[in-house]
Amino acid sequence: AMMGTNGVLNGNQAQIITSANGGVFNQNLNSLTVALYGIGSACGRIIVGFLEMYFHRRNAIIREKQLIWLSENSPDDPETEGAMNGQSSEGKPDMTPVHHRWNSTVICLYPLPPLVIGVTCILCTFLPVVAYPALFWVAGASYGCSLAFAILGVREIFSIDVARHYNFVTAAGM
């Protein structure tokens, strides 16, 4: 849905602007919205990259604190027995991380770009033509975010041999 909606919005950009401008084609406004759409797409990918780094660091810090706690507390200590993450069959502490290994930005934020692009499509019918550059920048940023989330999702799921699965993801829509 995201790729189709965004393709319609981006592919018919000149027609949308012309119809909203009373049938008058404005080359400057069209060029500006195309450029801002591309800049927004790049900004969306960069934002997702920064979110990715933040969540990976956060999960690493939590995992480090967990390992420090497990190394400082003996599994034989009755005071810490209930606070342990679990015990293996040998009586050693379970070192399984509290958080899932997949990146939480991909899981939590993936639905946001389609919602944002839907809102921008609706706003194109109400707002004046002067606001279109901002709308197309937001649409480009949401498209860039969705592409970055899709690539991060593939990388997290198929982390053993990523190159083999990129071809499937890019060819699956054909």
Side-chain angles (χ1 to χ4, degrees):
M2 177 68 189
M3 303 303 174
T5 306
N6 219 352
V8 167
L9 183 67
N10 194 26
N12 296 320
Q13 199 167 3
Q15 288 81 10
I16 292 169
I17 293 171
T18 303
S19 66
N21 203 14
V24 178
F25 179 73
N26 187 347
Q27 181 65 37
N28 294 333
L29 184 62
N30 188 37
S31 300
L32 178 65
T33 54
V34 168
L36 286 176
Y37 187 87
I39 292 169
S41 177
C43 289
R45 294 171 200 209
I46 291 170
I47 288 168
V48 171
F50 281 124
L51 285 173
E52 160 100 1
M53 288 188 319
Y54 168 75
F55 279 107
H56 272 296
R57 282 189 190 144
R58 186 191 67 165
N59 290 342
I61 290 170
I62 291 172
R63 179 69 173 152
E64 183 179 351
K65 288 179 182 178
Q66 186 181 38
L67 291 173
I68 290 170
W69 185 88
L70 287 172
S71 66
E72 290 175 350
N73 295 298
S74 170
D76 299 328
D77 189 7
E79 293 178 11
T80 60
E81 193 171 311
M84 292 294 291
N85 192 19
Q87 297 266 340
S88 65
S89 59
E90 297 89 28
K92 296 179 182 175
D94 185 12
M95 300 304 273
T96 306
V98 175
H99 297 280
H100 199 274
R101 75 166 188 87
W102 286 0
N103 191 351
S104 54
T105 57
V106 175
I107 296 168
C108 297
L109 301 177
Y110 192 73
L112 289 180
L115 292 174
V116 170
I117 193 71
V119 169
T120 56
C121 287
I122 293 170
L123 287 177
C124 279
T125 60
F126 297 115
L127 292 178
V129 179
V130 179
Y132 278 26
L135 284 177
F136 279 100
W137 185 88
V138 170
S142 67
Y143 186 63
C145 286
S146 69
L147 291 176
F149 286 141
I151 294 301
L152 290 176
V154 169
R155 189 194 73 194
E156 292 291 330
I157 293 170
F158 305 111
S159 61
I160 295 171
D161 188 11
V162 179
R164 186 183 311 167
H165 302 288
Y166 277 136
N167 292 334
F168 168 73
V169 170
T170 56
M174 292 182 180

